[in-house]
Amino acid sequence: MSSICFSESQNLMYNDRLEIYIFLFPNVSQYLQVKFHHDTFNSSMEFTPATFTLVGIPGLKAEHTWISIPFCLMYTIIFLGNGIILHVIRIDSALHQPMYYFLAMLALVELGVSASTMPTVISIFLFGITDISFGGCLLQMCSMHSFTLMESDVLLAMSVDRFVAIYSPLRYTTILTVPRIIGIGAAIALRSVTFMLPLLFLLKRLPFCGHNTLTHSYCLHSDLIKLPCGDTRPNSILGLFVITSTFGLDSLLIVVSYALILHTVLGIASGAGRWRALNTCVSHICAVLVYYVPMISLSLMHRFGKNLPPLLQTAMANAYLFFPPVVNPIVYSIKTKEIRNSIVRTLLRKRSDI
């Protein structure tokens, strides 16, 4: 009641001030009246929602309990698979090499992506909770996108690692020392967070005018940017700059790295040596394809597939976020002999202890 009285007294004060301005400056009276009504309308309409409403799978709300089973299974594989990769790299001294340190970075980043999405995904499909606070949604968006940017940077660092290992194998460990690898990891994290923070602040300042329903089970920037009723051009321009400076530049440099690797491999005299050198890159090539193919497909779908069914768009967004963390530990465990042998040795050691 007090807030209503305060609002009425504020309006009376504005009306008195407006009459004085009209008396003193009659030529601008129409402008002042229009501006006053515009500001009054905006003050009643432009507000930040307390919560956002997330959507699980469009049209399948009744089956959310059953849909939660594959999601829970995927999260189990992600945390178990990447956790095993981190564990064997930590305890096995034979894996204390640059290639495996970068693999550990990739596993950590993928755990970060999954940990960012898990709270809302599990809440929606398992407990039917679809609301998330405004601050929580922005935090999830910033965390999730920061980790996806880090994943792209780590894949680039891994391609450079493969080039150094093939081009200069004798100096490999002296070039990529532990302090340098730690510095690369810190630079990757800092770069990703620095790119995401301006997007966060730009989004926070926008008016939403009551629109608060998102189309996924987590907060994506491309989803959030559709809701505000204000000018979103700065957000779109900065978002395009971030995508170009990270995904675009990283993918280009990865291609350049592999062109240099191929050029170096072709200079190796023996066929066995060529095959052995290329075989060390197979797992990384799979990781790059698993990461970039769903991302490019989702980007093309957002750009040209506006009339596609929402179910297909949701499935592609889920593939982009869940496919790499599920597949990469399996690929590296199968294709990388040292990782595979270390896992077997660890399991045999645990079994003998029992």
Side-chain angles (χ1 to χ4, degrees):
M1 184 68 182
S2 60
S3 63
I4 295 174
C5 293
F6 177 75
S7 178
E8 289 177 354
S9 64
Q10 241 187 354
N11 286 335
L12 288 172
M13 182 180 68
Y14 281 130
N15 283 329
D16 292 340
R17 192 180 299 172
L18 183 62
E19 289 175 1
I20 293 171
Y21 285 151
I22 293 171
F23 177 75
L24 293 175
F25 308 103
N27 292 334
V28 294
S29 61
Q30 186 177 3
Y31 164 75
L32 288 172
Q33 288 175 358
V34 171
K35 186 178 187 303
F36 172 77
H37 289 299
H38 174 73
D39 292 343
T40 304
F41 176 77
N42 282 347
S43 66
S44 64
M45 287 298 293
E46 296 182 1
F47 66 94
T48 299
T51 61
F52 286 106
T53 301
L54 300 170
V55 177
I57 305 293
L60 298 175
K61 188 175 181 180
E63 286 77 26
H64 274 186
T65 303
W66 292 104
I67 295 172
S68 68
I69 296 173
F71 276 103
C72 290
L73 182 61
M74 281 191 293
Y75 278 120
T76 302
I77 294 171
I78 289 168
F79 284 99
L80 188 62
N82 287 286
I84 289 172
I85 295 288
L86 287 171
H87 179 67
V88 297
I89 291 174
R90 184 180 66 86
I91 66 170
D92 193 341
S93 58
L95 301 180
H96 292 175
Q97 298 179 32
M99 173 183 175
Y100 304 109
Y101 289 141
F102 285 118
L103 178 58
M105 280 188 205
L106 184 64
L108 274 174
V109 167
E110 289 179 339
L111 286 175
V113 174
S114 301
S116 300
T117 61
M118 186 175 69
T120 52
V121 172
I122 296 300
S123 296
I124 291 171
F125 292 112
L126 209 55
F127 304 110
I129 301 171
T130 58
D131 289 341
I132 182 173
S133 67
F134 181 80
C137 189
L138 293 186
L139 179 62
Q140 184 185 53
M141 180 207 77
C142 186
S143 172
M144 182 173 58
H145 286 304
S146 294
F147 279 117
T148 54
L149 293 180
M150 289 181 207
E151 189 169 0
S152 176
D153 290 340
V154 170
L155 289 172
L156 172 59
M158 293 174 79
S159 69
V160 174
D161 165 79
R162 290 297 82 213
F163 169 68
V164 174
I166 293 171
Y167 180 77
S168 185
L170 298 178
R171 298 178 57 213
Y172 175 51
T173 54
T174 59
I175 294 173
L176 292 173
T177 60
V178 172
R180 284 179 181 170
I181 293 171
I182 293 173
I184 291 171
I188 286 171
L190 182 62
R191 178 175 182 254
S192 301
V193 174
T194 303
F195 273 128
M196 278 309 303
L197 285 178
L199 287 173
L200 180 67
F201 290 125
L202 282 175
L203 193 61
K204 195 174 181 180
R205 71 171 180 79
L206 289 171
F208 283 81
C209 303
H211 305 143
N212 69 334
T213 302
L214 300 171
T215 58
H216 296 287
S217 38
Y218 31 76
C219 299
L220 289 172
H221 181 263
S222 58
D223 208 7
L224 281 166
I225 202 64
K226 297 175 184 176
L227 298 183
C229 52
D231 184 10
T232 60
R233 282 176 297 179
N235 303 67
S236 300
I237 293 170
L238 182 58
L240 180 61
F241 171 75
V242 170
I243 290 172
T244 306
S245 303
T246 53
F247 301 125
L249 183 61
D250 290 349
S251 59
L252 177 62
L253 292 176
I254 288 171
V255 171
V256 171
S257 297
Y258 272 100
L260 294 173
I261 287 171
L262 189 60
H263 180 266
T264 304
V265 168
L266 292 176
I268 298 174
S270 67
R274 293 177 186 175
W275 172 248
R276 191 163 53 251
L278 286 175
N279 196 43
T280 63
C281 302
V282 171
S283 298
H284 180 255
I285 292 171
C286 291
V288 170
L289 293 175
V290 161
Y291 178 77
Y292 278 102
V293 169
M295 185 191 71
I296 294 170
S297 302
L298 181 63
S299 300
L300 292 174
M301 190 175 293
H302 276 297
R303 179 66 180 86
F304 302 108
K306 295 179 180 178
N307 296 324
L308 291 174
L311 181 61
L312 182 60
Q313 297 183 29
T314 302
M316 188 56 67
N318 288 331
Y320 164 57
L321 288 174
F322 289 99
F323 196 51
V326 168
V327 172
N328 283 338
I330 298 172
V331 169
Y332 274 96
S333 299
I334 294 172
K335 292 297 297 179
T336 308
K337 183 177 68 175
E338 292 80 5
I339 293 287
R340 185 172 66 248
N341 292 341
S342 182
I343 292 173
V344 171
R345 284 196 301 270
T346 302
L347 292 175
L348 291 176
R349 194 181 305 119
K350 293 290 183 182
R351 185 176 178 183
S352 63
D353 291 341
I354 294 173

